[in-house]
Amino acid sequence: MYAYIIRRLLMLVPVLFGVSVFIFVIMRIVPGDVAMTILGTDATPESLRQLREDFGLNLPIYQQYFEWMAGVLTGDFGESMRTGKEVLPDILNRFKLTFELTLISAVISWIIAIPLGIVAAIKRNSKADFGVRLISLLGVSVPNFALATVLILILALFFSYSPPVGYVGFFADPATNLQIMILPSIVLGTAMAGAVMRMTRSSILEVLRQDFIRTIRAKGARERVVIFQHALRNAMIPILTIIGMQIGTLLGGTVIIEQIFSLPGLGQLVLTAITQRDFTVVQGAVLFIAFVFVLINLLVDLLYSYLDPRITYK
């Protein structure tokens, strides 16, 4: 197990190296001049030249990359070209909101999807199964931004309610925090639930067809024991896989929801940095998200052996 974890952590190196090169090059080839964007069209050639020198933009691209990576390896992601603040503390501060949003959304998704997926599998081809499949289809088909907009309009028109703006930490004020986070979490959780619901149904159905389930039933076990102690646990591996992928995707994919609900999270930080051509913020944020995504996949892989002892990591 420890050898496997070490090997997976070593795999972080080529993955993060590839991500860093990709995002660094992409930001340099995007049309536009960052110095002109910051100083405006009235800037003099001398001021533009001075700003490029201050940011190191006059250096060859490979030298810019190596200098940036040298800082990253020591925990220095650089400073924002716009605000002058250090990038890493800003990323970590914004990440708290995005992580909380992702976590609450995932919990909502599990609460909705797994029970309904089990019901659909047990009552296959019934009205309940048809209803669950219809709900899951809507969940994966309706875009997040459309669902968020409709939800806000319904609450405003029929209940005279609008979601709070800003962010308050959970430990600072739990009630206000949940009031702020619940609506965007419901939107994201509903979208996640559709895919998890479909996977739960198909996985449970596949397990219920296996011989060991028939043997357990032949021994007189209750149907509840068959489903929850045997079938569900053996069906959890593909479900856990899609959950891990969704959580990793949400960490970098909450941009639109954070914009709609005015949440100062990591997605909003990246979007603002892209529009302002703030190279260091975009590079640091994308690299950080890639790092967290790989760690989540590692955690999912390790949970496989807990769910199925037959899986070993030799």
Side-chain angles (χ1 to χ4, degrees), residues 67-255:
E67 289 185 359
W68 174 64
M69 281 304 299
V72 169
L73 293 175
T74 60
D76 181 11
F77 280 48
E79 297 179 351
S80 168
M81 294 179 174
R82 281 286 183 170
T83 63
K85 297 180 180 178
E86 292 187 8
V87 171
L88 185 57
D90 202 12
I91 290 173
L92 295 176
N93 185 49
R94 298 292 191 101
F95 179 72
K96 291 186 293 185
L97 184 151
T98 300
F99 180 75
E100 182 185 354
L101 178 60
T102 299
L103 187 61
I104 298 175
S105 302
V107 172
I108 292 174
S109 168
W110 303 337
I111 292 173
I112 297 172
I114 294 179
L116 289 180
I118 294 173
V119 170
I122 296 173
K123 301 182 179 296
R124 183 186 179 191
N125 296 329
S126 66
K127 292 182 179 179
D129 181 23
F130 176 78
V132 170
R133 282 188 286 173
L134 180 61
I135 293 171
S136 67
L137 182 61
L138 291 174
V140 298
S141 302
V142 179
N144 288 337
F145 68 87
L147 182 60
T149 304
V150 170
L151 183 60
I152 291 174
L153 286 175
I154 290 174
L155 292 174
L157 293 175
F158 295 100
F159 300 97
S160 300
Y161 174 82
S162 60
V165 178
Y167 177 70
V168 177
F170 178 80
F171 296 104
D173 189 344
T176 303
N177 174 268
L178 292 177
Q179 187 180 7
I180 293 170
M181 302 297 289
I182 191 63
L183 286 181
S185 298
I186 289 174
V187 171
L188 291 173
T190 303
M192 288 178 63
V196 177
M197 205 181 302
R198 293 166 70 91
M199 181 60 70
T200 302
R201 177 185 180 274
S202 61
S203 298
I204 292 287
L205 283 175
E206 182 179 354
V207 172
L208 289 177
R209 297 190 187 102
Q210 296 183 13
D211 293 338
F212 79 94
I213 293 294
R214 285 193 287 268
T215 302
I216 294 170
R217 282 173 170 162
K219 290 181 177 180
R222 294 182 179 180
E223 190 65 15
R224 180 178 298 178
V225 174
V226 172
I227 297 299
F228 291 100
Q229 292 189 13
H230 299 281
L232 181 59
R233 179 163 185 171
N234 284 274
M236 278 302 296
I237 288 181
I239 299 171
L240 184 62
T241 301
I242 194 170
I243 287 175
M245 293 178 62
Q246 286 184 329
I247 290 176
T249 302
L250 276 182
L251 290 174
T254 59
V255 178

Side-chain angles (χ1 to χ4, degrees), residues 48-59:
L48 291 173
R49 183 189 62 80
Q50 183 61 47
L51 186 61
R52 294 190 187 101
E53 288 183 0
D54 294 341
F55 290 148
L57 300 176
N58 59 326
L59 301 174

